[in-house]
Amino acid sequence: MTREEKIDQIVHKCRRTSDCRECKLYGYYSVCPVDLYLKDGTPMADWSVNRAYEILLENEETRKEFTQADLETGMVVQLRNGKSLLVIKRESELRMFDEVQFLDGSNLTDNLKSRLLLAETRHPLDIMKVFAPADLKNVSNVIELIERKGELIWKRIEKMTYEEVKEIVGYDFEIVAPPVGQDS
């Protein structure tokens, strides 16, 4: 999609949501670039076009809370460690697996957080993304089903404190905004 097509979609969405209410709600802009674009023709920087598009359009469906009950057979889930697993659900039993790994639904909380930790890193095996079932044409094994996963239907959006991020990266840092009016 071109930059201009993204801007058209963003402007349409912002007009429908009354002055970028979603941007303000999710705290990404103190001054909305779309509002400036509409009022005085100030050009939108590439970073603001991409960020606004992501906030307003791409993540529209992924903000919905997703639970174990929403998982269906054939969906593919991606864990915090990046591993993808195929979902199989029969009656009340939920299982997720690939060629070597197996995860039982009883090891997950209802909001798809894991009660288990990965042995090597001690990181939880939380489900971070859920993909729609893949097309079954010409599929010969489980790996192909996982690799052909459908479109993203849910993504976990986490908030972290400065201290939590500092602990992950291992050093002190400062967060700065991109320069106004410059492309990034």
Side-chain angles (χ1 to χ4, degrees):
M1 174 177 296
T2 68
R3 182 179 191 279
E4 288 70 30
E5 289 170 332
K6 280 185 179 179
I7 289 174
D8 285 344
Q9 284 191 339
I10 293 165
V11 168
H12 175 71
K13 173 80 173 171
C14 285
R15 284 183 179 162
R16 275 193 308 124
T17 58
S18 139
D19 207 28
C20 285
R21 184 188 64 199
E22 290 187 41
C23 292
K24 291 174 186 168
L25 177 67
Y26 290 93
Y28 293 101
Y29 299 116
S30 55
V31 177
C32 175
V34 177
D35 195 35
L36 293 173
Y37 174 80
L38 292 172
K39 284 183 181 171
D40 64 8
T42 302
M44 292 173 68
D46 283 345
W47 70 267
S48 63
V49 169
N50 292 334
R51 192 68 183 133
Y53 184 80
E54 181 183 327
I55 293 164
L56 293 172
L57 298 157
E58 288 183 346
N59 289 337
E60 217 167 44
E61 289 301 312
T62 62
R63 288 192 195 119
K64 168 192 173 295
E65 281 301 314
F66 212 84
T67 65
Q68 269 199 49
D70 296 321
L71 291 174
E72 298 172 7
T73 296
M75 289 180 168
V76 173
V77 297
Q78 186 176 47
L79 304 178
R80 187 176 296 279
N81 66 355
K83 191 80 168 165
S84 293
L85 304 174
L86 180 67
V87 174
I88 300 294
K89 192 172 187 179
R90 280 203 188 149
E91 297 167 16
S92 63
E93 290 185 19
L94 174 67
R95 305 259 195 273
M96 292 154 280
F97 64 93
D98 65 3
E99 75 279 8
V100 291
Q101 191 170 5
F102 171 81
L103 185 62
D104 190 300
S106 65
N107 294 323
L108 293 174
T109 63
D110 194 45
N111 67 352
L112 306 180
K113 294 236 178 186
S114 177
R115 294 184 177 107
L116 301 175
L117 297 177
L118 192 59
E120 310 87 58
T121 61
R122 307 296 295 159
H123 288 157
L125 293 171
D126 300 338
I127 293 176
M128 301 304 288
K129 295 180 181 179
V130 177
F131 297 89
D135 182 11
L136 296 176
K137 290 182 184 174
N138 302 321
V139 174
S140 60
N141 59 44
V142 172
I143 302 310
E144 281 186 43
L145 273 174
I146 293 171
E147 288 173 355
R148 287 188 184 183
K149 60 190 168 223
E151 67 181 72
L152 178 67
I153 55 176
W154 180 79
K155 176 172 76 173
R156 183 180 304 281
I157 299 173
E158 295 183 307
K159 294 182 179 180
M160 298 177 79
T161 65
Y162 173 83
E163 293 302 320
E164 289 170 327
V165 175
K166 181 178 166 183
E167 186 177 317
I168 290 170
V169 298
Y171 55 85
D172 205 5
F173 61 93
E174 183 179 344
I175 299 171
V176 296
V180 176
Q182 288 188 358
D183 297 342
S184 58

